[in-house]
């Protein structure tokens, strides 16, 4: 009996060791697989294409964040892809459409195991940095020279995707932050468009007195509040570059400009600017308050234009836009919060690098035309040939387009400028201001501590 | 004492397929996690071995960690001490009073099947401020209890309880089902014999149902504990851990660190700690129930 | 629950001993009723929700009906959510996982509780350790393993971890049950000259149907809505499962809630139908198990 179990024990131990070795060798291999074309996903070619072209069959995996078939971007994506596949029967574009959060998680996991899809989506500047450091993307310098693609992009926009002189991604959008307002609600409360932040606080109070929710925000997604705060900071700092100065060691978060921004921001909150229960409203629920005419103002990136103009509140040109005003007389309203969009990057280890680059070139060349047709061309990163007015874009859309012409620089969102660790601390610190009044110097200290810890 | 004497090969045939799969896909990843927990690594680029520095930081210099752990245990406590006993009570009542229990038990079970997306959305509309049509607050105002109204999901002190309540509600039917199955498994002749001895009604429950249900009750408690420690979806949907970490639990903290703050090494250290806590808890739960078992038998 | 027919299968003894306490009974049934309403309400709410516009949903009126019934949410869900393809993938993955979990874990539970060997408790402990590990925590290591084995972007990359993560709890539950089966069963079987596999298959397994059902249900719940692993390991459209459909209506700056609701209804319906159809059998199985045990 004992002998038998001992034998069994050794068998078990042996098998266990074997399995450990098997799994272990699996994970230890990872370091040297960087050189081999690492794309299992693209080798599982789809067979339902049914063409009998003599060329080699190629599948390009295109990870994207346009999963909703009722969304114009999704239609546009499919249209371009279908056309390309028709022209190139040997190429299949496998669309891996995911919602934004999941795509981020997936890409990070894939990046860690060097398994990046042929085309993927990244965010600009600081959010892109770790991927560049890990050397995962192919430079697009040569590709954008082909067919004049480079010249379709607005001046300077590609800088946010350029590292060490190489362009690594091509953006789908370029937006600015504006304040949308509901004209009839403004009329009802007898208030005018504010030209200074102090007037804005005043307008908030008057709206509030009339029982109207002054501003809508979706602060559960804490970047929304941060975006607004950063615009205040852009003013109190007297111009862009505060965070850059912090990174360069020229300033600290305890700087008076930062504290002033916190104080101004809190005065807005304390005036009762936002709806009740603000931190449980996600982006959509917050925006919906404005869209359904329940809130008078809405601070957001210009990407929201399309949704607002077709909403209940936006009917009959009832919604207008204004620039974020000066704070304590500081800042220039022509400096905006800038939001260069998420961008398409190509895996360096793509098995079909050439074809992938060709496709992306084609895709980006057709992008402006198709988004223009789908009435989604407000705030794209490329120049559009076409008469917006004649194409039936709304007055509000035209207003927003005109604001674009007045842009004289600005700042990027916090998480596009700072490392992720500091950004998370910042987001939570700002979110806290919506539920608790805090001393400005305490907020500044929180930021400084977080920054130093994450440096 | 087990009676089947079999050869090692037979044991291997029974145990190894499952064990191998388990070891490769659960155990090894955990070992990898333990190792990652000792790295300074953003999850993508180069990593640096830093020994136990992540743990030092976690225990001494992370203002979110301890409160998040506390809330996790709060949820686990409510789940084990309130939800599971209520479920047992309901299960006993059902088995006692209902002749065709399928419909009832199945219906109670429904919220578990529905996706958290729906559950979260539903409860948000219930918890909303009165001005946004929130049901609870409107009822309170209707009863003249204006001072009782709260912004349930956004007041830091209240929010975590609001989320816990939803979690308890959602999984109540799950535990009812488990306990009910357990009660159904108690052989009817035991009750019959007891009846002859004069034990009937609640007395029968006290002396037969409760002792007989202990093993199933234990399963329920363990599942409640696991569920609590891993609960994550519901919190993300309802509050996202906010406002300002007020509803963060250990698993959401881990997620934030690993993937949002891009401190994968640190996140892995939290995961490792979580696994350790779980092991400890399993041992404690087992110990307690073994004593309970002995006392009854 | 006012059927007057007494089903003899369900404990006639208990049912009988309580006839007559009608006030108590009324209170209990009111309690059941309240619980029923709170637990069934979400389903009703979801049905209404799935027919509303985004604005109506987000406005958050709890009882309101839609102004115009948005049936197109369903057309969107079926077409845009690729319902049929996702559903069949989900059914495939879930059913293979369930069969795998039950087969593998019942073998182990049998070995642990019925074999006379030294390492039974050690194996049990190894499984217990894994019970509490969150699947998401192992995302990255799994990715590396699957990449090297070459099964990324196949259903296998879902089925294998699903099975692996469900086995601990399954072993725990099944061995808890099998422990209680009297040993006389095997003793007499051995006398009759039955082999180990036959004892397992025709004596232990049939008796274990109730806990197996529990395991089935637990597995199902954990797998059916699982999205994080699925979204990470699957990239091909034709391999995707139901949760992809739900999240396919979430864009960067907009969410199509109505279509999500419709998709969830369509995703939950087959489950609810199957469950209610099987519920009768499940309880019968349980009772049969109880009698034999």
């Amino acid at each position: 009996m004992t002998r038998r179990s001992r034998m069994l024990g050794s068998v078990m131990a042996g098998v266990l060791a074997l399995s450990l070795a098997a799994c272990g060798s699996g994970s230890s291999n990872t370091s040297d697989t960087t050189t081999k074309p690492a794309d299992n996903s693209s080798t599982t070619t789809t067979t339902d294409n049914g063409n009998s072209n003599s060329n080699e069959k190629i599948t390009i995996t295109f990870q994207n964040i346009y999963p909703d078939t009722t969304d114009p971007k999704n239609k546009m994506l499919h249209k371009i892809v279908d056309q390309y596949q028709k022209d190139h029967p040997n190429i299949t574009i496998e669309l891996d459409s995911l919602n934004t959060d999941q795509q981020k998680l997936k890409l990070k996991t894939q990046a860690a195991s060097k398994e990046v899809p042929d085309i993927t989506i990244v965010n600009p500047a600081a959010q892109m940095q770790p991927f560049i450091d890990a050397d995962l993307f192919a430079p697009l310098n040569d590709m954008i020279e082909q067919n004049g693609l480079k010249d379709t992009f607005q001046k300077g926009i590609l800088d946010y995707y350029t590292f060490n002189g190489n362009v690594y991604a091509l953006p789908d959008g370029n937006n600015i932050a504006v304040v949308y307002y509901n004209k009839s609600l403004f009329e009802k409360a007898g208030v005018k468009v504010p030209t200074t932040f102090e007037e804005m606080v005043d307008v908030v109070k008057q709206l509030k007195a009339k029982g109207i929710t002054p501003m809508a925000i979706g602060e559960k997604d804490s970047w929304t509040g941060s975006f607004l705060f950063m615009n205040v900071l852009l003013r109190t700092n007297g111009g862009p570059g505060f965070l850059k100065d912090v990174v360069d060691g020229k300033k600290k978060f305890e700087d008076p400009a930062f504290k002033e921004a916190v104080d101004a921001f809190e005065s807005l909150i304390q005036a009762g600017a936002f709806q009740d229960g603000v931190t449980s409203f996600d982006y959509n629920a917050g925006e919906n308050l404005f869209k359904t005419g329940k809130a008078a103002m809405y601070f957001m990136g210009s990407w929201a234009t399309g949704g607002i103009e077709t909403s209940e509140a936006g009917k009959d040109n009832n919604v207008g836009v204004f620039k974020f005003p000066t704070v304590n007389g500081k800042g220039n309203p022509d400096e905006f919060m800038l939001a260069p969009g998420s961008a398409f990057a190509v895996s360096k280890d793509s098995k079909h690098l050439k074809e992938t680059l060709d496709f992306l070139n084609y895709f980006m060349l057709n992008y402006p035309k198709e988004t223009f047709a789908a009435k989604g061309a407000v705030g794209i990163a490329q120049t559009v040939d076409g008469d917006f007015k004649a194409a039936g874009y709304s007055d509000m859309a035209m207003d927003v387009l005109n604001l674009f012409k007045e842009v004289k620089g600005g700042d990027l969102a916090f998480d596009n400028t700072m490392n992720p660790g500091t950004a998370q601390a910042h987001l939570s610190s700002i979110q806290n201001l919506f539920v608790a009044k805090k001393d400005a110097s305490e907020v500044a200290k929180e930021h400084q501590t977080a920054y130093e810890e994450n440096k | 004492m087990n009676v089947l004497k079999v050869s090692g090969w037979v044991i291997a045939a029974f145990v190894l397929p499952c064990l191998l799969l388990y070891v490769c896909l659960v155990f090894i990843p955990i070992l990898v996690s333990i190792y990652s927990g000792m790295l300074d690594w953003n999850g993508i680029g180069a990593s640096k071995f830093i020994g136990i520095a992540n743990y030092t930081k976690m225990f001494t210099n992370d203002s979110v960690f301890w409160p998040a752990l506390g809330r996790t245990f709060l949820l686990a406590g409510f789940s084990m001490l309130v939800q599971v006993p209520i479920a047992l009570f309901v299960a006993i009542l059902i088995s006692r009073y209902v002749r065709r229990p399928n419909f009832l038990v199945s219906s109670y079970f429904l919220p578990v099947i529905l996706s958290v997306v729906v559950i979260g959305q539903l409860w948000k509309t219930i918890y909303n401020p009165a001005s946004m049509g929130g049901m609870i607050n409107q009822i309170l105002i209707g009863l003249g209890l204006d001072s009782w109204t709260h912004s349930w999901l956004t007041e830091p002190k209240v929010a975590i309880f609001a989320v816990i309540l939803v979690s308890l509600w959602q999984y109540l039917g799950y535990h009812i089902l488990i306990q009910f199955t357990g009660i159904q498994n108690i052989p009817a002749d035991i009750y019959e014999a007891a009846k002859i001895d004069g034990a009937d009604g609640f007395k029968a429950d006290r002396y037969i149902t409760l002792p007989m249900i202990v093993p199933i009750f234990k399963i329920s408690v363990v599942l409640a504990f696991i569920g609590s420690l891993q609960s994550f979806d519901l919190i993300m949907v309802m509050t996202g851990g906010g406002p300002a970490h007020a509803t963060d639990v250990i698993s959401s903290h881990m997620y934030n660190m690993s993937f949002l703050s891009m401190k994968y090494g640190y996140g892995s250290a939290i995961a490792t700690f979580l696994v350790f806590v779980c092991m400890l808890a399993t041992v404690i739960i087992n110990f307690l129930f073994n004593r309970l078992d002995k006392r009854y038998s | 629950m006012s059927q007057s027919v007494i089903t003899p299968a369900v404990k006639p003894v208990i049912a009988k001993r309580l006839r007559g306490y009608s006030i108590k009974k009324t209170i209990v049934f009111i309690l059941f009723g309240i619980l029923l309403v709170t637990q069934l309400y979400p389903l009703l709410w979801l049905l209404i929700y799935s027919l509303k516009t985004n604005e109506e949903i987000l406005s958050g009126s709890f009882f309101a009906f839609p102004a115009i019934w948005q049936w197109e949410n369903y057309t969107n869900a079926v077409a845009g959510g690729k319902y049929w393809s996702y559903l069949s993938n989900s059914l495939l993955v879930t059913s293979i996982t369930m069969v795998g979990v039950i087969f593998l874990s019942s073998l182990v539970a049998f070995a642990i509780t019925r074999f006379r060997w030294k390492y039974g408790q050690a194996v049990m402990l190894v499984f217990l350790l894994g019970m509490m590990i969150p699947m998401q925590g192992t995302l990255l290591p799994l990715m590396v393993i699957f990449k090297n084995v070459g099964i990324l972007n196949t259903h296998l990359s879902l089925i294998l971890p699903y099975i692996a993560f469900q086995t601990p709890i399954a072993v725990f539950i099944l061995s808890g049950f099998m422990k209680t089966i009297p040993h006389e069963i095997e003793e007499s079987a051995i006398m009759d000259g039955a082999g180990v596999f036959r004892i397992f298959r025709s004596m232990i397994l049939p008796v274990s149907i109730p806990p197996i059902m529990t395991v089935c249900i637990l597995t199902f719940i954990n797998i059916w809505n699982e999205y994080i692993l699925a979204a990470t390991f699957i990239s091909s459209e034709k391999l995707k499962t139901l949760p992809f459909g739900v999240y396919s209506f979430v864009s960067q700056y907009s969410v199509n809630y109505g279509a999500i609701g419709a998709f969830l209804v369509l995703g939950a319906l087959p489950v609810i139908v199957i469950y209610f159809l099987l519920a009768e059998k499940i309880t019968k199985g349980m009772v049969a198990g109880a009698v034999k045990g």
Side-chain angles (χ1 to χ4, degrees):
Chain A
M1 176 69 208
T2 39
R3 219 171 75 208
R4 183 173 290 160
S5 11
R6 191 176 303 147
M7 184 201 96
L8 176 75
S10 53
V11 169
M12 292 272 305
V15 176
L16 207 79
L18 260 175
S19 73
L20 277 165
C23 303
S25 74
S27 40
S28 66
N29 268 343
T30 53
S31 49
D32 52 48
T33 47
T34 44
T35 46
K36 97 176 176 213
D39 217 338
N40 287 310
S41 51
S42 59
T43 51
T44 54
T45 336
T46 46
T47 46
D48 49 31
N49 204 347
N51 70 73
S52 51
N53 199 294
S54 56
N55 288 341
E56 184 202 358
K57 268 195 158 191
I58 288 171
T59 301
I60 295 171
T61 309
F62 185 178
Q63 190 176 73
N64 65 83
I65 49 173
Y66 314 123
D68 184 0
T69 46
T70 59
D71 176 20
K73 276 192 174 168
N74 175 287
K75 293 193 181 108
M76 180 267 312
L77 174 74
H78 276 277
K79 200 173 160 197
I80 303 179
V81 165
D82 288 348
Q83 185 59 44
Y84 190 81
Q85 290 186 141
K86 219 191 248 166
D87 299 345
H88 303 80
N90 63 321
I91 292 177
T92 307
I93 311 289
E94 177 89 70
L95 292 171
D96 185 13
S97 309
L98 296 163
N99 58 308
T100 315
D101 291 346
Q102 205 57 47
Q103 187 269 338
K104 280 186 184 167
L105 179 62
K106 180 167 185 171
L107 180 63
K108 279 172 190 167
T109 313
Q110 287 174 324
S113 48
K114 310 273 182 205
E115 187 63 39
V116 179
D118 299 314
I119 302 178
T120 186
I121 289 212
V122 287
N123 282 314
Q127 292 197 57
M128 221 175 129
Q129 188 76 50
F131 295 95
I132 302 300
D133 291 345
D135 192 22
L136 293 166
F137 297 144
L140 306 175
N141 301 6
D142 298 336
M143 184 270 260
I144 54 175
E145 298 295 344
Q146 288 163 25
N147 305 322
L149 178 61
K150 191 177 182 184
D151 299 329
T152 68
F153 283 95
Q154 290 160 15
K155 214 175 120 250
I157 178 77
L158 291 179
D159 294 351
Y160 301 116
Y161 310 89
T162 304
F163 297 81
N164 314 318
N166 289 327
V167 177
Y168 283 106
L170 302 175
D172 68 345
N174 180 29
N175 285 281
I176 53 172
V178 296
V179 186
Y180 298 92
Y181 71 102
N182 185 317
K183 290 175 186 166
S184 57
L185 287 181
F186 263 47
E187 219 164 276
K188 199 169 140 199
V191 291
K192 285 206 201 75
V193 172
T195 55
T196 67
F197 188 77
E198 297 67 44
E199 275 178 38
M200 192 160 151
V201 175
D202 212 44
V203 165
V204 160
K205 285 176 184 155
Q206 290 177 51
L207 284 163
K208 185 101 185 154
K210 283 273 182 337
I212 300 167
T213 305
M215 289 184 98
I217 195 167
E219 181 58 19
K220 176 174 175 266
D221 294 319
S222 50
W223 62 266
T224 54
S226 159
F227 204 38
L228 175 56
F229 170 78
M230 288 303 292
N231 209 337
V232 180
L233 179 63
L234 174 65
R235 298 283 179 267
T236 58
N237 190 45
F242 180 83
L243 292 181
K244 194 173 173 301
D245 287 346
V246 173
V247 173
D248 294 343
K250 287 182 205 151
K251 276 184 184 158
K252 283 190 159 189
F253 279 103
E254 277 109 339
D255 191 89
F258 189 84
K259 288 187 195 163
E260 193 182 344
V262 175
D263 281 332
F265 189 66
E266 287 201 87
S267 73
L268 192 65
I269 293 170
Q270 296 304 324
F274 303 103
Q275 76 269 21
D276 294 334
V278 59
T279 57
S280 69
F281 281 75
D282 58 25
Y283 173 85
N284 292 289
E287 183 165 301
N288 191 61
L289 285 177
F290 184 77
K291 281 182 175 171
T292 50
K294 290 195 185 103
M297 285 183 279
Y298 183 51
F299 174 88
M300 193 37 66
S302 48
W303 60 76
T305 305
I308 289 172
E309 66 186 357
T310 55
S311 72
E312 206 180 305
K315 271 183 213 150
D316 310 319
N317 289 314
N318 183 39
V319 172
V321 284
F322 62 88
K323 300 173 193 168
F324 194 81
T326 57
V327 178
N328 300 331
K330 289 178 187 161
N332 178 357
D334 286 337
E335 288 166 352
F336 288 84
M337 285 308 293
L338 307 174
S342 40
F344 307 101
V346 173
S347 166
K348 197 180 69 135
D349 299 325
S350 168
K351 216 174 174 182
H352 310 288
L353 190 56
K354 189 187 162 302
E355 289 82 358
T356 306
L357 289 172
D358 280 349
F359 166 72
L360 187 60
N361 186 281
Y362 176 87
F363 182 82
M364 292 314 296
L365 278 175
N366 285 281
Y367 188 84
K369 193 180 75 196
E370 296 299 339
T371 42
F372 180 74
K375 284 212 192 158
V378 175
I380 69 168
Q382 288 153 289
T383 44
V384 182
D385 305 320
D387 186 345
F388 282 82
K389 189 84 193 166
Y393 280 77
S394 71
D395 285 1
M396 180 182 64
M398 296 307 296
D399 289 348
V400 173
L401 284 167
N402 287 330
L403 287 185
F404 272 100
K405 291 177 187 150
E406 293 166 29
V407 175
K408 302 218 167 38
D411 270 335
L412 297 194
F414 197 100
D415 57 358
N416 283 335
T417 320
M418 279 282 180
N419 60 55
T422 315
Q424 290 303 315
H426 157 79
L427 290 173
S428 147
S429 172
I430 296 298
Q431 191 186 42
N432 199 21
L433 297 179
F434 283 87
V435 293
K437 192 159 165 37
K438 276 200 137 181
D439 197 43
S441 49
E442 206 180 317
V443 177
K445 197 161 168 265
E446 266 174 29
H447 278 75
Q448 187 63 28
T449 317
Y451 172 67
E452 272 157 26
E453 263 174 28
N454 288 293
K455 222 188 301 199
Chain B
M1 187 61 193
N2 295 348
V3 290
L4 287 176
K5 288 179 225 153
V6 291
S7 74
W9 297 111
V10 173
I11 295 180
F14 273 79
V15 175
L16 277 187
C18 190
L19 194 65
L20 270 183
L21 188 70
Y22 168 79
V23 166
C24 274
L25 298 184
V26 180
F27 223 73
I28 304 236
I30 290 311
L31 295 182
V32 175
S33 269
I34 293 174
Y35 173 70
S36 308
M38 291 184 271
L39 299 177
D40 179 13
W41 186 33
N42 70 1
I44 297 178
S47 60
K48 197 172 87 192
F49 188 85
I50 52 168
I52 59 158
N54 281 330
Y55 294 93
T56 330
K57 176 163 190 272
M58 186 160 93
F59 293 132
T60 59
N61 193 22
D62 180 346
S63 57
V64 179
F65 175 74
W66 288 112
L69 188 66
R71 280 186 285 269
T72 305
F73 281 119
L74 192 69
L75 175 59
F78 269 103
S79 191
M80 292 189 295
L81 301 176
V82 177
Q83 183 186 40
V84 177
I86 290 180
L88 176 60
F89 180 67
V90 174
I92 290 176
L93 287 182
I94 292 177
S95 67
R96 207 176 227 284
Y97 289 101
V98 183
R99 280 173 208 143
R100 293 171 66 90
N102 292 334
F103 173 74
L104 210 56
V105 175
S106 309
S107 308
Y108 290 170
F109 184 68
L110 268 177
V112 186
I113 304 179
L114 291 181
S115 157
V116 276
V117 182
V118 179
I119 302 289
Q121 193 85 33
L122 168 68
W123 279 87
K124 268 169 136 182
T125 67
I126 295 177
Y127 280 137
N128 263 338
S131 57
M132 304 287 163
M135 187 178 71
I136 293 183
N137 284 331
Q138 280 181 346
I139 289 176
L140 286 174
I141 291 172
L143 293 173
L145 298 167
D146 295 37
S147 60
W148 289 20
T149 60
H150 285 278
S151 186
W152 299 102
L153 289 175
T154 55
E155 284 174 33
K157 287 209 176 75
V158 183
I160 185 65
F161 291 99
V163 177
I164 286 177
L165 180 71
V166 179
S167 171
L168 297 187
W169 164 84
Q170 192 190 358
Y171 280 91
L172 182 67
Y174 178 80
H175 294 291
I176 291 178
L177 178 77
I178 294 173
Q179 313 279 339
F180 179 74
T181 317
I183 296 173
Q184 294 287 296
N185 278 326
I186 300 171
D189 45 352
I190 297 187
Y191 286 102
E192 234 156 324
K195 202 183 167 193
I196 295 166
D197 294 344
D200 207 352
F202 283 110
K203 219 171 170 187
D205 285 329
R206 165 76 181 79
Y207 292 105
I208 300 169
T209 316
L210 285 185
M212 296 287 284
I213 200 80
V214 166
I216 304 289
F217 192 74
K218 175 173 141 187
I219 291 177
S220 232
V221 168
V222 171
L223 286 172
F225 186 77
I226 301 172
S228 307
L229 282 166
Q230 299 184 359
S231 68
F232 167 69
D233 308 14
L234 190 68
I235 287 176
M236 285 322 239
V237 171
M238 292 192 72
T239 64
H245 300 300
T247 53
D248 255 335
V249 289
I250 199 75
S251 48
S252 64
H253 187 46
M254 177 178 97
Y255 177 84
N256 286 340
M257 282 299 155
S258 305
F259 295 109
L260 298 182
S261 294
M262 292 190 71
K263 294 176 188 165
Y264 191 83
Y266 189 66
S268 299
I270 300 177
T272 307
F273 177 77
L274 190 62
V275 169
F276 176 75
V277 169
C278 286
M279 274 160 52
L280 205 68
T282 320
V283 172
I284 293 173
I285 293 174
N286 265 316
F287 173 76
L288 289 178
F289 274 95
N290 283 344
R291 279 185 57 174
L292 205 65
D293 236 359
K294 278 201 191 95
R295 222 175 65 201
Y296 272 119
S297 55
Chain C
M1 298 268 72
S2 57
Q3 283 95 335
S4 55
V5 193
I6 304 167
T7 43
V10 185
K11 289 209 194 125
V13 193
I14 306 175
K16 220 179 282 166
R17 75 186 143 108
L18 286 156
R19 211 170 287 162
Y21 289 86
S22 53
I23 300 167
K24 214 193 233 165
K25 208 169 167 175
T26 315
I27 297 172
V28 170
F29 274 90
I30 289 173
L31 186 97
F32 286 157
I34 294 172
L35 208 54
L36 191 67
V37 171
T38 65
Q39 306 298 98
L40 271 187
Y41 185 75
L43 194 67
L44 181 68
W45 186 80
L46 176 63
L47 285 173
I48 300 171
Y49 176 109
S50 68
L51 292 164
K52 287 182 176 180
T53 64
N54 250 4
E55 283 74 20
E56 285 169 328
I57 291 166
L58 288 166
S59 300
S61 317
F62 191 69
F63 296 104
F65 283 95
I68 300 165
W69 300 72
Q70 306 288 325
W71 294 105
E72 78 210 43
N73 285 340
Y74 281 86
T75 29
N76 283 339
V78 172
K82 302 188 187 60
Y83 175 67
W84 296 110
S85 156
Y86 291 170
L87 179 68
S88 53
N89 284 330
S90 268
L91 286 173
L92 181 76
V93 168
T94 311
S95 50
I96 296 181
T97 304
M98 277 162 68
V99 171
V101 167
I102 289 157
F103 178 70
L104 292 175
S105 59
S106 59
L107 285 177
V108 173
F110 181 70
I112 289 175
T113 53
R114 317 301 287 187
F115 289 170
R116 190 181 289 183
W117 59 313
K118 214 168 156 188
Y119 299 98
Q121 283 316 303
V123 170
M124 183 72 194
L125 193 70
V126 171
F127 276 106
L128 275 182
L129 290 183
M131 205 157 66
M132 310 260 183
I133 289 162
M135 211 158 26
Q136 294 82 351
T138 58
L139 207 55
L140 221 165
L142 282 181
M143 183 95 185
V144 174
I145 293 174
F146 290 163
K147 179 188 162 184
N148 287 290
V149 182
I151 58 166
L152 274 182
N153 201 24
T154 63
H155 279 152
L156 218 51
S157 65
L158 295 184
I159 293 169
L160 291 181
Y162 287 170
I163 294 179
F165 275 92
Q166 292 307 312
T167 42
I169 191 73
V171 169
F172 176 69
I173 290 175
L174 290 177
S175 61
F177 178 84
M178 287 184 186
K179 210 162 53 182
T180 63
I181 303 173
H183 285 287
E184 291 81 36
I185 288 194
E186 297 109 289
E187 274 162 14
S188 60
I190 294 169
M191 301 277 204
D192 296 347
V196 179
F197 285 98
R198 236 190 77 197
I199 295 177
F200 171 69
R201 195 171 51 86
S202 47
M203 311 193 97
I204 303 293
L205 263 197
V207 181
S208 307
I209 286 182
I212 285 178
M213 282 302 166
T214 311
V215 169
C216 269
I217 292 167
L218 290 181
T219 307
F220 180 84
I221 294 167
N222 287 331
I223 300 310
W224 190 250
N225 286 327
E226 202 287 322
Y227 182 52
I228 293 187
L229 285 197
T232 310
F233 296 145
I234 298 290
S235 298
S236 289
E237 194 58 53
K238 62 180 174 20
L239 296 175
K240 289 178 175 177
T241 50
L242 277 176
F244 280 93
V246 175
Y247 288 96
S248 75
F249 296 103
V250 181
S251 309
Q252 192 172 12
Y253 296 119
S254 70
V255 177
N256 192 344
Y257 288 103
I260 289 183
F263 201 89
L264 285 170
V265 171
L266 291 173
L269 268 187
V271 180
I272 293 168
V273 170
I274 293 172
Y275 184 77
F276 274 88
L277 284 179
L278 284 183
E280 199 78 16
K281 287 221 168 68
I282 293 171
T283 324
K284 270 192 191 136
M286 288 171 182
V287 175
V291 171
K292 276 187 200 150

